[in-house]
Amino acid sequence: MFRVIGAVLLAVLVLVPPARAEDGAAPTLPVFTPHESAWQPDDTVFPYNLWRVRVTPEQVVAMRDACQWFNAQYDELMGQVFALENLLADHHDDWSAPGVARAGDVVAANLDQSAAFLDPRVHTLFIVNYPDQSEYSPVFHGDSMYRLWFQFTRIADAIRQRIPSGQIYANVATANVYGTVIRDAGVCAGA
């Protein structure tokens, strides 16, 4: 009896394809909710060691929340962006090809959701330097997080406009650079 059940179960597992998102599109990312933690920005690196007195508690929370999002969703989101770019290139930039527009819409929505989460946080990370009115972030790699957010907004806009993959690539590559910089610097470790 158990052998029959086991054989049927094995056949079902082998013959039934794994669940996929509708139309081959990327899954919608869950809404991210940050949580309290003891994470603090690295202020040992020059010039951040000089700017530590300028970092506000709001900036620490903003960067912590952005880092928690980064640790939880950045890799999946960028994987979706790269997959869409490859799908589009495979279809010779034909947005009307089966599944391409739907995949683009889901990825654009995920980018919009991530950018909306990051927006108030990354804008908190900058302060105005007087007297020249220049802006800078006293938080280690706060500027990188801001630039990552900006690239997400550009990629989502390009997808909505159905721009060819080669033109989207510049923003994708730039986002990848900032994400790699954030990861390699260990900015978000322990957030």
Side-chain angles (χ1 to χ4, degrees):
M1 175 74 161
F2 290 113
R3 286 185 188 172
V4 172
I5 293 172
V8 169
L9 184 58
L10 180 61
V12 167
L13 291 174
V14 171
L15 297 175
V16 175
R20 296 176 58 191
E22 181 182 333
D23 298 330
T28 301
L29 291 176
V31 173
F32 181 77
T33 304
H35 60 277
E36 293 288 327
S37 78
W39 178 89
Q40 290 291 310
D42 182 359
D43 61 3
T44 61
V45 180
F46 178 82
Y48 302 95
N49 59 342
L50 302 175
W51 295 340
R52 73 174 54 117
V53 297
R54 297 180 181 183
V55 176
T56 67
E58 292 81 16
Q59 289 171 321
V60 172
V61 170
M63 189 66 173
R64 180 200 69 205
D65 291 357
C67 278
Q68 288 177 4
W69 169 86
F70 183 89
N71 292 340
Q73 293 190 343
Y74 170 78
D75 287 331
E76 183 175 352
L77 180 60
M78 285 304 292
Q80 292 178 2
V81 169
F82 288 131
L84 174 64
E85 195 171 49
N86 291 334
L87 177 67
L88 190 55
D90 289 347
H91 287 90
H92 308 288
D93 292 323
D94 180 4
W95 282 95
S96 65
V100 175
R102 170 78 178 120
D105 292 342
V106 172
V107 173
N110 286 340
L111 286 161
D112 287 340
Q113 178 179 293
S114 296
F117 174 81
L118 292 171
D119 188 340
R121 291 159 178 87
V122 298
H123 284 88
T124 301
L125 295 172
F126 281 87
I127 62 176
V128 176
N129 188 30
Y130 295 100
D132 67 354
Q133 304 295 309
S134 62
E135 289 185 327
Y136 72 100
S137 180
V139 179
F140 187 50
H141 281 292
D143 58 328
S144 297
M145 196 66 77
Y146 176 89
R147 289 179 176 93
L148 180 63
W149 160 83
F150 180 74
Q151 294 306 317
F152 286 169
T153 65
R154 304 306 312 139
I155 297 166
D157 286 345
I159 292 170
R160 276 190 291 280
Q161 294 174 32
R162 306 303 196 224
I163 302 290
S165 61
Q167 292 176 358
I168 298 173
Y169 180 74
N171 296 110
V172 172
T174 304
N176 188 48
V177 166
Y178 287 114
T180 300
V181 164
I182 292 166
R183 179 181 296 106
D184 290 353
V187 174
C188 293

